[in-house]
Amino acid sequence: MSFGSPLLLRSLNPLAVAAGADIPDAVTIDGTTLSRSDLLGAATSVAERVARADRVAVLAAPTVTTVLAVVGCLIAGVTVVPVPPDSGEAELAHILADSGAQAWLGEAPDGTGLPVVPVRVHARSWHTYSEPDPSSAAFILYTSGTTGLPKGVILTRRAIAAGLDALADAWSWTASDVLVHGLPLFHVHGLILGVLGPLRVGSPLIHTGKPTPRAYAQAKGTLYFGVPTVWSRVVEDPESARHLSKARLLVSGSAPLPVPVFEKLRELTGQSPVERYGMSETMITLSTRADGERRPGWVGTPVAGVRTRLRDETGAPVPHDGESIGGLQVSGPMLFDGYLNRPEVTAESWTEDGWFRTGDVAVIDAEGFHRIVGRESVDLIKSGGYRIGAGEVETVLLGHPAVAEAAVVGLPDDDLGQRVVAFVVLRGMSGSAADDIESEIIDHVAQQLSVHKRPREVRVLTALPRNAMGKVQKKVLASGN
C-alpha cells in the first residue's frame, strides 16, 4: 500500500502510521526501543516546541533525546546544528556564534548562555506539518577544523534525500535490513547515513552506544557501519567477527581501511567489506556495490547521479589509467549548498564549470574504479620529479607484519624537493629490534612498489597524532611538533 508523497523521513509518513503500519523496533538506542508510532508522536511533540525557530543546536550524544530532537526539527523544517559532546570551549563558542543557533534542543552544556528547550521522550503529538521546501537547509555540519576554525557545511533536504537514495541503490538497502552501528551522531557517517538512512528506507536501527566487537556481534543485524578502527578491533576478536558472517553487508568509511584488515574480515566473516568515499560537503559519492567487485584499497565507482574527474595543478585532465594521480573533482545532487558565512571560501571550492574541488587526490582506472591517495595538501608528495601518493605507500607499510600503524609525509629535501618519510607504530617492538626493522621496512616497500616510492627514512613512534575524529594529523608530523 502507498501512503502519500515521499518525505525526507519516508518511513515516518503519518498516513502509514495512522493506517496502523507500525515498525515495533524502528530505533533502538541508549537502551530504549521506539516503535515507528512512538518516534513520530514524540518527534512531532518536539516539532511543536521548536516550529518557530530557524536554527537550533543539538548536543549530539548517542541518545534517544538526540534522535527525537533531530527528527522533530526535520518535521518542523528547523535547521539542526549538531554539536560534538566533547567540544572544547573555543570550538563550542565558535560553532554557536557562527551558526546563529537560537537555542539548545534537549541536553545542553553547563554554563550555556542560550535558552534550553527540553525534549520530552514520553510526550506525544499527532499534529501534521506540511513538507518543508526541499531546498531548505536540514543541517549545518561543522568540519573537523584541520585547517583553521571549523566551517559550517550547509546540507539541504533535497541533497540528503538524493544521497541516501543513491546509497540504497548501491548497497541494495531495503526495509528488510537491520542497520547496526555505534558511531557518533554529529557527522555524516553516524547521523545522516546511520540515523536518517534507516528512517528513509524503513529499516530498523540498532545503535550499540560504543562500537565494540561484542556489541556488534550481539546485535544480529544485516547491515553494519564502522570506521577502520572499529573493523580493526573486530578482527582482533575472531569469535565476535564470526558472528558477523550472517550479516548481508559490512560497510567501512571515514578513513581508508588497511588492506590487512580487509583481508582478515574476509577470512573471518566470509565476505569482503564495502568501502566508500565522501566528505561532509559531498556526502557519499563513491562506493563499491553490494552486487559488484570489491577491491582492497579501492572505494569503487560513482553512486547514482555522481560524476568525477581528475585534474593536475594546471587544470589539465589526468588519464584514467589506474596509475596517474590527480586532484579529485565531483558533481552530483547530494553536494552541499556552500559554507555558512564563507562566500569566498565557497567560491574557491568550485571550478568555473561547476565541479567541486574535494581537496583529495585520487587514481581512477579504465573501469572507473577509484583509489583515494589522500589530501592534496599533505598526501601528494613530489619527490625527484615523481608524483607519489602517500596512501599507496601507507597501504604497503601496513602489509608488513611489524607495522601496526603508518603515516607517510613529504619533508623538504634540498636534492629531491621532498623526501618520503614514514612514521610507524610497531607491534610490540622496541630498542635495537626497532632500529633493525627500519631498513627491512624500506626494502619491503621497494619490493612492492616502484623504488622511487620507498621511504627514505622511517621514524618509529609510540602513537600517531590524531584529531577528535581519529584522523591522523599529518601537519603535526610534517612540522616536527
Side-chain angles (χ1 to χ4, degrees):
M1 179 178 286
S2 175
F3 298 97
S5 59
L7 307 174
L8 176 58
L9 306 171
R10 193 157 47 201
S11 73
L12 294 185
N13 191 320
L15 294 177
V17 175
D22 208 355
I23 302 173
D25 54 353
V27 173
T28 301
I29 186 170
D30 197 27
T32 300
T33 296
L34 297 176
S35 69
R36 176 159 68 174
S37 58
D38 289 336
L39 186 55
L40 178 62
T44 303
S45 176
V46 171
E48 290 192 350
R49 302 176 68 82
V50 298
R52 295 185 179 181
D54 294 319
R55 298 172 189 163
V56 296
V58 174
L59 198 64
T63 64
V64 170
T65 299
T66 295
V67 173
L68 293 178
V70 168
V71 175
C73 287
L74 293 175
I75 290 172
V78 175
T79 303
V80 180
V81 182
V83 178
D86 60 351
S87 295
E89 287 186 16
E91 180 184 13
L92 181 60
H94 168 70
I95 291 174
L96 295 179
D98 188 66
S99 69
Q102 296 157 296
W104 286 100
L105 180 56
E107 301 297 324
D110 294 336
T112 182
L114 291 178
V116 180
V117 178
V119 170
R120 296 172 179 168
V121 175
H122 300 291
R124 298 289 184 271
S125 170
W126 305 110
H127 181 77
T128 56
Y129 286 83
S130 299
E131 174 71 356
D133 187 331
S135 65
S136 62
F139 292 93
I140 298 173
L141 295 181
Y142 278 82
T143 62
S144 56
T146 55
T147 56
L149 290 172
K151 299 186 291 291
V153 173
I154 302 170
L155 293 177
T156 67
R157 302 173 71 90
R158 179 187 289 116
I160 292 170
L164 294 176
D165 288 348
L167 291 183
D169 169 69
W171 299 342
S172 302
W173 187 358
T174 72
S176 298
D177 281 304
V178 175
L179 173 63
V180 177
H181 74 87
L183 302 172
L185 301 188
F186 49 83
H187 53 45
V188 164
H189 197 171
L191 179 58
I192 307 295
L193 278 58
V195 175
L196 301 195
L199 291 180
R200 183 164 179 80
V201 171
S203 60
L205 163 66
I206 299 174
H207 192 286
T208 60
K210 292 184 178 179
T212 65
R214 184 178 295 272
Y216 272 34
Q218 292 175 343
K220 299 179 180 179
T222 67
L223 177 61
Y224 286 79
F225 289 172
V227 298
T229 301
V230 171
W231 298 122
S232 295
R233 291 171 180 169
V234 166
V235 299
E236 291 170 359
D237 183 347
E239 182 180 353
S240 295
R242 291 188 184 100
H243 278 86
L244 301 186
S245 62
K246 298 177 183 178
R248 187 179 65 81
L249 217 60
L250 309 179
V251 180
S252 182
S254 295
L257 182 68
V259 171
V261 177
F262 182 106
E263 294 173 342
K264 193 68 175 177
L265 263 179
R266 180 166 53 193
E267 175 188 333
L268 291 170
T269 67
Q271 59 175 297
S272 301
V274 161
E275 295 187 69
R276 86 300 184 282
Y277 164 82
M279 310 171 62
S280 298
E281 292 89 340
T282 66
M283 289 184 279
I284 307 305
T285 51
L286 300 167
S287 182
T288 51
R289 296 181 59 88
D291 58 357
E293 179 185 3
R294 305 174 203 174
R295 301 180 200 165
W298 294 73
V299 292
T301 55
V303 299
V306 171
R307 295 184 299 157
T308 64
R309 68 186 190 186
L310 299 179
R311 292 293 184 267
D312 66 17
E313 293 89 340
T314 68
V318 172
H320 295 184
D321 57 11
E323 291 290 338
S324 301
I325 297 170
L328 179 63
Q329 298 177 4
V330 301
S331 69
M334 63 284 293
L335 270 62
F336 74 134
D337 261 25
Y339 297 109
L340 184 68
N341 304 325
R342 306 279 187 92
E344 298 86 0
V345 178
T346 299
E348 292 170 359
S349 300
W350 296 84
T351 65
E352 291 184 359
D353 56 347
W355 293 70
F356 176 67
R357 298 183 176 100
T358 65
D360 286 321
V361 284
V363 168
I364 306 176
D365 74 4
E367 287 75 43
F369 253 67
H370 293 59
R371 177 166 54 82
I372 305 301
V373 173
R375 295 300 290 171
E376 199 162 9
S377 56
V378 293
D379 291 317
L380 179 58
I381 302 169
K382 300 173 185 176
S383 181
Y386 294 101
R387 293 157 58 88
I388 302 167
E392 182 180 24
V393 182
E394 289 163 356
T395 296
V396 174
L397 286 168
L398 290 169
H400 191 286
V403 177
E405 298 178 68
V408 170
V409 300
L411 297 185
D413 187 277
D414 291 339
D415 179 41
L416 299 170
Q418 288 182 305
R419 68 183 184 279
V420 179
V421 177
F423 294 82
V424 301
V425 176
L426 300 177
R427 301 182 189 277
M429 191 176 295
S430 60
S432 59
D435 294 336
D436 294 340
I437 202 71
E438 292 179 15
S439 60
E440 181 182 320
I441 289 173
I442 292 172
D443 291 342
H444 171 75
V445 176
Q447 291 168 8
Q448 299 292 321
L449 301 175
S450 301
V451 173
H452 67 264
K453 297 179 181 180
R454 75 191 186 284
R456 302 295 177 129
E457 181 183 353
V458 174
R459 300 184 188 181
V460 177
L461 303 178
T462 55
L464 297 178
R466 298 179 183 272
N467 64 15
M469 295 289 290
K471 295 184 179 180
V472 176
Q473 294 178 299
K474 289 195 173 182
K475 291 188 176 181
V476 173
L477 295 173
S479 68
N481 295 327

